[in-house]
Amino acid sequence: MKIGVLALQGAVAEHIRSLKLAGAEAVIVKRVDELDELDGLVIPGGESTTIGKLMRKYDFIDALQQFSAQGKPLFGTCAGLIVLAERIAGQEEAHLSLMDMTVCRNAFGRQKESFETDLDVTGIDEPIRAVFIRAPLIEQVGEGVDVLSVYKDEIVTARQGHLLACSFHPELTDDYRLHQYFVDMVKESLAARA
Ligand code: GLN
């Protein structure tokens, strides 16, 4: 099982480390031809407009839509969550348009631009430590989307089948249980595709 971390922009090395701790082989991905050998992909945080631009420039939009159509799991964190969404509040255009949800960028007010909290996540036993940095929130989800965690009444983690998204940075702590959750999704999808 091999999982890639999209390295167009943003926090890459920390995701590689967390995936390895969760028992996966993890590689940096910079070109579309590297997607073929992968069973899953993480889209890290950073700046979603920049990531979206670079995705268009390097032909990742079509390639990742096909990747997803094969049932291969994708995990978007922070800006990566924005990139996965079908709808971005206040913007005409989305990026990958894969998850049936509306997201709101930089949604936590000024004083709360960056903060840490312990978060209950469905499917994970004890609360996880979550670091929010100019984080988006999920404003609305479609029927096929399961809400996995909520912070102060706002949705911050969601799953739609083989797609997982969270508002925060799970790679910035030693707690790799959300990566473990994703690795388990990749295992399930491999079994289903076998
Ligand atoms: N604020 C960024 C955006 O809108 C996301 C921040 C992050 O990934 N930490 O793209």
Side-chain angles (χ1 to χ4, degrees), residues 62-131:
D62 274 359
L64 286 178
Q65 284 167 344
Q66 282 172 31
F67 189 88
S68 173
Q70 293 169 53
K72 291 185 176 181
L74 289 154
F75 179 18
T77 66
C78 204
L81 165 148
I82 299 165
V83 167
L84 284 179
E86 272 181 26
R87 295 168 297 280
I88 304 170
Q91 278 179 220
E92 297 262 296
E93 214 186 5
H95 303 288
L96 290 173
S97 290
L98 289 171
M99 276 183 86
D100 186 1
M101 59 185 185
T102 307
V103 302
C104 181
R105 296 178 62 194
N106 304 321
F108 295 93
R110 231 187 138 59
Q111 283 161 343
K112 284 220 155 242
E113 267 193 357
S114 291
F115 59 98
E116 284 189 39
T117 188
D118 292 316
L119 209 58
D120 283 316
V121 180
T122 305
I124 297 178
D125 283 347
E126 300 286 321
I128 67 165
R129 191 75 186 155
V131 181

Coordinates of all heavy atoms in Angstrom, one line a residue, residues 62-131:
D62 N -8.1 17.0 -13.8 CA -8.6 15.8 -14.5 C -8.0 14.5 -13.9 O -8.8 13.6 -13.6 CB -8.2 15.8 -16.0 CG -9.2 16.6 -16.8 OD1 -10.2 17.1 -16.2 OD2 -9.0 16.6 -18.0
A63 N -6.7 14.5 -13.7 CA -6.0 13.3 -13.2 C -6.6 12.9 -11.8 O -6.8 11.7 -11.6 CB -4.5 13.6 -13.1
L64 N -6.8 13.9 -10.9 CA -7.3 13.5 -9.6 C -8.8 13.2 -9.6 O -9.3 12.4 -8.8 CB -7.0 14.7 -8.6 CG -5.6 14.7 -8.2 CD1 -5.3 15.9 -7.2 CD2 -5.1 13.4 -7.5
Q65 N -9.6 13.8 -10.6 CA -11.0 13.4 -10.7 C -11.0 11.9 -11.2 O -11.9 11.1 -10.7 CB -11.7 14.3 -11.7 CG -12.0 15.7 -11.0 CD -12.4 16.8 -11.9 OE1 -12.2 16.7 -13.1 NE2 -12.9 17.8 -11.3
Q66 N -10.1 11.5 -12.0 CA -10.1 10.1 -12.5 C -9.6 9.2 -11.3 O -10.1 8.1 -11.2 CB -9.1 10.0 -13.7 CG -9.7 10.4 -15.0 CD -8.7 10.5 -16.1 OE1 -7.8 9.7 -16.1 NE2 -8.9 11.4 -17.0
F67 N -8.6 9.7 -10.6 CA -8.1 8.9 -9.4 C -9.3 8.6 -8.5 O -9.5 7.5 -8.0 CB -7.1 9.9 -8.7 CG -6.3 9.3 -7.6 CD1 -5.1 8.6 -7.9 CD2 -6.7 9.4 -6.3 CE1 -4.3 8.1 -6.8 CE2 -5.9 8.9 -5.3 CZ -4.7 8.2 -5.5
S68 N -10.1 9.6 -8.2 CA -11.2 9.5 -7.3 C -12.3 8.5 -7.9 O -12.9 7.7 -7.2 CB -11.8 10.8 -7.0 OG -13.0 10.7 -6.3
A69 N -12.5 8.7 -9.3 CA -13.5 7.8 -9.9 C -13.1 6.3 -9.9 O -14.0 5.5 -9.9 CB -13.6 8.3 -11.4
Q70 N -11.8 6.0 -9.7 CA -11.4 4.6 -9.5 C -11.7 4.2 -8.0 O -11.3 3.0 -7.7 CB -9.9 4.5 -9.7 CG -9.5 4.7 -11.2 CD -8.0 4.8 -11.3 OE1 -7.2 4.0 -10.8 NE2 -7.5 5.9 -11.9
G71 N -12.2 5.0 -7.2 CA -12.4 4.7 -5.8 C -11.2 4.8 -4.9 O -11.2 4.4 -3.8
K72 N -10.2 5.5 -5.4 CA -9.0 5.6 -4.6 C -9.2 6.8 -3.6 O -9.6 7.9 -4.0 CB -7.8 5.9 -5.5 CG -7.4 4.7 -6.3 CD -6.1 5.0 -7.1 CE -5.6 3.7 -7.8 NZ -4.4 4.0 -8.5
P73 N -8.9 6.6 -2.3 CA -9.2 7.6 -1.3 C -8.3 8.9 -1.4 O -7.2 8.8 -1.8 CB -8.9 6.8 0.0 CG -9.2 5.4 -0.3 CD -8.6 5.3 -1.7
L74 N -9.0 10.0 -1.1 CA -8.3 11.3 -1.0 C -8.6 11.9 0.4 O -9.7 11.7 0.9 CB -8.9 12.2 -2.1 CG -8.5 11.9 -3.5 CD1 -9.5 12.4 -4.5 CD2 -7.1 12.5 -3.9
F75 N -7.6 12.5 0.9 CA -7.7 13.1 2.3 C -7.2 14.6 2.1 O -6.1 14.8 1.9 CB -6.9 12.3 3.3 CG -6.9 12.8 4.7 CD1 -7.8 13.7 5.2 CD2 -5.9 12.4 5.6 CE1 -7.8 14.2 6.5 CE2 -5.8 12.8 6.9 CZ -6.8 13.7 7.3
G76 N -8.2 15.5 2.3 CA -7.8 16.9 2.2 C -7.8 17.5 3.6 O -8.8 17.4 4.3
T77 N -6.7 18.2 3.9 CA -6.6 18.8 5.2 C -6.5 20.4 5.0 O -5.7 20.8 4.2 CB -5.4 18.3 6.0 OG1 -4.2 18.7 5.4 CG2 -5.4 16.8 6.2
C78 N -7.3 21.1 5.8 CA -7.3 22.6 5.7 C -7.5 23.1 4.3 O -8.5 22.8 3.7 CB -6.1 23.1 6.4 SG -6.4 24.8 7.0
A79 N -6.5 23.7 3.7 CA -6.6 24.1 2.3 C -7.0 22.9 1.4 O -7.8 23.1 0.4 CB -5.4 24.8 1.8
G80 N -6.5 21.7 1.7 CA -6.9 20.5 1.0 C -8.4 20.2 1.0 O -8.9 19.7 0.0
L81 N -9.0 20.5 2.1 CA -10.4 20.4 2.3 C -11.2 21.3 1.3 O -12.1 20.9 0.6 CB -10.9 20.7 3.7 CG -12.3 20.9 4.1 CD1 -12.6 20.4 5.5 CD2 -12.7 22.4 4.0
I82 N -10.6 22.5 1.2 CA -11.3 23.5 0.3 C -11.1 23.0 -1.2 O -12.1 23.1 -2.0 CB -10.6 24.9 0.4 CG1 -10.7 25.4 1.9 CG2 -11.1 25.9 -0.6 CD1 -9.8 26.6 2.2
V83 N -10.0 22.5 -1.5 CA -9.7 22.0 -2.9 C -10.7 20.8 -3.2 O -11.1 20.6 -4.4 CB -8.2 21.6 -2.9 CG1 -7.9 20.8 -4.2 CG2 -7.3 22.8 -2.9
L84 N -11.1 20.0 -2.2 CA -12.0 18.8 -2.5 C -13.4 19.3 -2.7 O -14.2 18.5 -3.3 CB -11.9 17.9 -1.3 CG -10.7 17.0 -1.2 CD1 -10.9 16.1 0.0 CD2 -10.5 16.1 -2.4
A85 N -13.8 20.4 -2.2 CA -15.2 20.8 -2.1 C -15.9 21.1 -3.4 O -15.2 21.6 -4.3 CB -15.4 22.0 -1.2
E86 N -17.1 20.8 -3.5 CA -17.9 21.2 -4.7 C -18.2 22.6 -4.8 O -18.3 23.2 -5.8 CB -19.2 20.4 -4.8 CG -19.1 19.0 -5.5 CD -20.4 18.3 -5.6 OE1 -21.5 18.9 -5.6 OE2 -20.3 17.0 -5.7
R87 N -18.4 23.2 -3.6 CA -18.8 24.6 -3.5 C -17.9 25.4 -2.5 O -17.7 24.9 -1.4 CB -20.3 24.8 -3.1 CG -21.2 24.2 -4.2 CD -22.6 24.0 -3.7 NE -22.7 23.1 -2.6 CZ -22.8 21.8 -2.7 NH1 -22.7 21.2 -3.8 NH2 -22.9 21.0 -1.6
I88 N -17.4 26.6 -2.9 CA -16.7 27.5 -2.0 C -17.5 28.7 -1.8 O -17.8 29.4 -2.8 CB -15.3 27.8 -2.5 CG1 -14.5 26.5 -2.8 CG2 -14.5 28.7 -1.6 CD1 -13.2 26.7 -3.6
A89 N -17.9 29.0 -0.6 CA -18.8 30.2 -0.4 C -18.1 31.5 -0.9 O -16.9 31.7 -0.6 CB -19.1 30.4 1.1
G90 N -18.8 32.3 -1.7 CA -18.3 33.5 -2.2 C -17.4 33.4 -3.3 O -16.8 34.4 -3.8
Q91 N -17.2 32.2 -3.8 CA -16.3 32.1 -5.0 C -17.1 31.4 -6.1 O -17.9 30.5 -5.9 CB -15.1 31.2 -4.7 CG -14.0 32.0 -4.1 CD -12.8 31.1 -3.7 OE1 -12.2 31.3 -2.7 NE2 -12.4 30.2 -4.6
E92 N -16.9 31.8 -7.4 CA -17.6 31.2 -8.5 C -17.2 29.8 -8.7 O -18.0 28.9 -9.0 CB -17.3 32.0 -9.8 CG -17.8 33.4 -9.7 CD -19.1 33.6 -10.4 OE1 -19.1 33.4 -11.7 OE2 -20.1 34.0 -9.8
E93 N -15.8 29.6 -8.7 CA -15.3 28.4 -9.1 C -14.7 27.5 -8.0 O -14.1 28.0 -7.1 CB -14.1 28.7 -10.0 CG -13.9 27.8 -11.2 CD -12.7 28.1 -12.0 OE1 -11.9 28.9 -11.6 OE2 -12.5 27.4 -13.0
A94 N -15.0 26.2 -8.1 CA -14.4 25.3 -7.1 C -13.1 24.7 -7.8 O -12.8 25.1 -8.9 CB -15.4 24.2 -6.8
H95 N -12.5 23.8 -7.1 CA -11.2 23.2 -7.7 C -11.5 21.8 -8.2 O -11.8 21.6 -9.3 CB -10.1 23.3 -6.7 CG -9.8 24.7 -6.3 ND1 -9.2 25.6 -7.1 CD2 -10.1 25.4 -5.1 CE1 -9.1 26.8 -6.4 NE2 -9.7 26.7 -5.2
L96 N -11.4 20.8 -7.3 CA -11.6 19.4 -7.7 C -13.1 19.0 -7.8 O -13.5 18.1 -8.5 CB -10.9 18.4 -6.8 CG -9.4 18.4 -6.9 CD1 -8.8 17.5 -5.9 CD2 -8.9 17.9 -8.3
S97 N -14.0 19.8 -7.0 CA -15.4 19.5 -7.0 C -15.8 18.1 -6.8 O -16.6 17.5 -7.5 CB -16.0 19.9 -8.4 OG -16.0 21.3 -8.5
L98 N -15.2 17.5 -5.8 CA -15.4 16.0 -5.5 C -16.4 15.8 -4.4 O -17.2 14.8 -4.4 CB -14.1 15.3 -5.3 CG -13.2 15.2 -6.5 CD1 -11.8 14.6 -6.1 CD2 -13.8 14.2 -7.5
M99 N -16.3 16.6 -3.3 CA -17.1 16.3 -2.2 C -18.3 17.3 -2.1 O -18.2 18.5 -2.3 CB -16.3 16.5 -0.9 CG -15.6 15.3 -0.5 SD -14.7 15.5 1.1 CE -16.0 15.0 2.3
D100 N -19.5 16.6 -1.9 CA -20.8 17.4 -1.9 C -20.9 18.2 -0.6 O -21.6 17.8 0.3 CB -21.9 16.4 -2.0 CG -23.3 17.0 -2.2 OD1 -23.3 18.3 -2.2 OD2 -24.3 16.3 -2.3
M101 N -20.2 19.4 -0.6 CA -20.3 20.2 0.6 C -19.9 21.7 0.1 O -19.3 21.9 -0.9 CB -19.3 19.8 1.6 CG -17.8 19.7 1.2 SD -16.8 19.0 2.5 CE -15.2 19.2 1.8
T102 N -20.4 22.6 0.9 CA -20.1 24.0 0.8 C -19.1 24.4 1.9 O -19.4 24.1 3.0 CB -21.3 24.9 0.9 OG1 -22.3 24.4 0.0 CG2 -21.0 26.4 0.5
V103 N -17.9 25.0 1.5 CA -17.0 25.3 2.5 C -16.8 26.8 2.6 O -17.0 27.5 1.6 CB -15.6 24.7 2.3 CG1 -15.7 23.2 2.3 CG2 -14.9 25.1 1.0
C104 N -16.5 27.3 3.8 CA -16.3 28.7 4.0 C -14.8 29.0 4.4 O -14.4 28.4 5.4 CB -17.3 29.2 5.0 SG -17.2 30.9 5.4
R105 N -14.1 29.7 3.6 CA -12.6 29.9 3.9 C -12.4 30.9 5.1 O -13.2 31.8 5.3 CB -11.9 30.5 2.7 CG -12.0 29.5 1.5 CD -11.3 30.2 0.3 NE -9.9 30.4 0.5 CZ -9.1 31.2 -0.2 NH1 -9.6 31.8 -1.3 NH2 -7.9 31.4 0.1
N106 N -11.3 30.7 5.8 CA -10.9 31.6 6.9 C -12.1 31.9 7.8 O -12.4 33.0 8.1 CB -10.3 32.9 6.3 CG -9.2 32.6 5.3 OD1 -8.3 31.8 5.6 ND2 -9.1 33.4 4.3
A107 N -12.7 30.8 8.2 CA -14.0 31.0 8.8 C -14.0 31.3 10.3 O -15.0 31.7 10.9 CB -14.8 29.7 8.6
F108 N -12.9 31.1 10.9 CA -12.8 31.4 12.4 C -12.3 32.8 12.5 O -11.2 33.1 12.1 CB -12.0 30.3 13.1 CG -12.6 29.0 13.0 CD1 -12.3 28.1 11.9 CD2 -13.5 28.6 13.9 CE1 -12.9 26.8 11.9 CE2 -14.2 27.3 13.8 CZ -13.8 26.5 12.8
G109 N -13.0 33.7 13.2 CA -12.7 35.1 13.3 C -11.3 35.4 13.8 O -10.6 34.5 14.2
R110 N -11.0 36.6 13.7 CA -9.6 37.1 13.8 C -8.8 36.6 15.1 O -7.8 36.0 14.9 CB -9.6 38.6 13.9 CG -8.6 39.2 12.9 CD -8.4 40.7 13.0 NE -7.0 41.0 12.9 CZ -6.2 40.8 11.9 NH1 -6.7 40.1 10.9 NH2 -5.0 41.1 11.9
Q111 N -9.5 36.7 16.2 CA -8.8 36.3 17.5 C -8.6 34.8 17.5 O -7.7 34.3 18.2 CB -9.7 36.6 18.7 CG -9.6 38.1 19.0 CD -10.7 38.5 19.9 OE1 -11.8 37.9 20.0 NE2 -10.6 39.7 20.5
K112 N -9.4 34.1 16.7 CA -9.3 32.6 16.7 C -8.6 32.1 15.4 O -8.8 31.0 15.0 CB -10.6 32.0 16.9 CG -11.1 32.1 18.3 CD -11.9 30.8 18.7 CE -11.8 30.6 20.2 NZ -11.2 29.4 20.6
E113 N -7.8 33.0 14.8 CA -7.2 32.6 13.5 C -6.4 31.3 13.7 O -6.4 30.5 12.8 CB -6.3 33.7 13.0 CG -7.0 34.6 12.1 CD -6.0 35.6 11.4 OE1 -4.8 35.5 11.6 OE2 -6.6 36.3 10.5
S114 N -5.7 31.2 14.8 CA -5.0 30.0 15.1 C -5.3 29.5 16.5 O -5.3 30.3 17.4 CB -3.5 30.2 15.0 OG -3.1 30.4 13.6
F115 N -5.6 28.3 16.6 CA -5.9 27.7 18.0 C -5.8 26.2 17.9 O -5.8 25.6 16.9 CB -7.2 28.2 18.5 CG -8.4 27.7 17.6 CD1 -9.1 26.6 18.0 CD2 -8.8 28.4 16.5 CE1 -10.2 26.2 17.2 CE2 -9.8 28.0 15.7 CZ -10.5 26.9 16.0
E116 N -5.7 25.6 19.1 CA -5.6 24.2 19.3 C -6.7 23.7 20.2 O -7.1 24.5 21.1 CB -4.3 23.7 19.9 CG -3.1 23.8 19.0 CD -1.9 23.1 19.7 OE1 -2.0 22.1 20.3 OE2 -0.8 23.7 19.5
T117 N -7.2 22.6 19.9 CA -8.3 22.0 20.8 C -8.3 20.5 20.7 O -7.7 19.9 19.8 CB -9.7 22.6 20.4 OG1 -10.7 22.3 21.3 CG2 -10.1 22.1 19.0
D118 N -9.0 19.9 21.7 CA -9.2 18.5 21.6 C -10.6 18.2 21.0 O -11.6 18.9 21.4 CB -9.2 17.9 23.0 CG -7.8 17.9 23.6 OD1 -6.8 17.6 22.9 OD2 -7.6 18.3 24.8
L119 N -10.6 17.3 20.1 CA -11.8 17.2 19.2 C -12.3 15.7 19.2 O -11.5 14.8 19.0 CB -11.4 17.6 17.8 CG -12.4 18.2 16.8 CD1 -13.0 19.4 17.4 CD2 -11.6 18.5 15.5
D120 N -13.6 15.5 19.5 CA -14.1 14.2 19.3 C -14.4 13.9 17.8 O -14.9 14.8 17.1 CB -15.5 14.1 20.0 CG -15.4 14.0 21.5 OD1 -14.5 13.2 22.0 OD2 -16.1 14.7 22.2
V121 N -13.9 12.8 17.4 CA -14.1 12.4 16.0 C -14.7 11.0 15.9 O -14.3 10.1 16.5 CB -12.7 12.3 15.2 CG1 -12.9 11.9 13.8 CG2 -12.0 13.7 15.3
T122 N -15.9 10.9 15.2 CA -16.5 9.6 15.1 C -15.6 8.6 14.5 O -14.9 8.9 13.4 CB -17.8 9.8 14.2 OG1 -18.6 10.8 14.7 CG2 -18.6 8.5 14.1
G123 N -15.5 7.5 15.1 CA -14.6 6.4 14.6 C -13.2 6.4 15.3 O -12.4 5.5 15.0
I124 N -13.0 7.4 16.1 CA -11.7 7.4 16.8 C -12.1 7.5 18.3 O -12.9 8.4 18.7 CB -10.8 8.6 16.4 CG1 -10.4 8.5 14.9 CG2 -9.6 8.7 17.3 CD1 -9.6 9.6 14.4
D125 N -11.5 6.6 19.1 CA -11.9 6.4 20.5 C -11.8 7.7 21.4 O -12.8 8.1 21.9 CB -11.2 5.3 21.2 CG -11.7 3.9 20.7 OD1 -12.8 3.9 20.1 OD2 -11.1 2.9 20.9
E126 N -10.6 8.2 21.6 CA -10.4 9.3 22.4 C -10.3 10.6 21.6 O -9.9 10.5 20.4 CB -9.1 9.2 23.2 CG -9.1 7.9 24.1 CD -9.9 8.1 25.3 OE1 -10.0 9.2 25.9 OE2 -10.6 7.1 25.7
P127 N -10.6 11.8 22.2 CA -10.4 13.0 21.4 C -9.0 13.2 20.8 O -8.0 12.7 21.4 CB -10.7 14.1 22.4 CG -11.4 13.5 23.5 CD -11.0 12.1 23.5
I128 N -9.0 13.8 19.6 CA -7.7 14.0 19.0 C -7.3 15.5 19.2 O -8.1 16.4 19.4 CB -7.6 13.7 17.5 CG1 -8.5 14.6 16.6 CG2 -8.0 12.2 17.3 CD1 -8.2 14.5 15.2
R129 N -6.0 15.8 19.1 CA -5.5 17.1 19.3 C -5.5 17.8 17.9 O -4.9 17.3 17.0 CB -4.0 17.1 19.8 CG -3.5 18.4 20.2 CD -4.1 18.9 21.5 NE -3.7 20.2 21.9 CZ -4.5 21.0 22.7 NH1 -5.6 20.5 23.2 NH2 -4.1 22.2 23.1
A130 N -6.2 18.9 17.8 CA -6.4 19.5 16.4 C -5.8 20.9 16.4 O -6.1 21.7 17.3 CB -7.8 19.5 16.0
V131 N -5.0 21.2 15.4 CA -4.4 22.6 15.3 C -5.1 23.3 14.1 O -5.0 22.8 13.0 CB -2.9 22.5 15.0 CG1 -2.3 23.9 14.9 CG2 -2.2 21.7 16.1

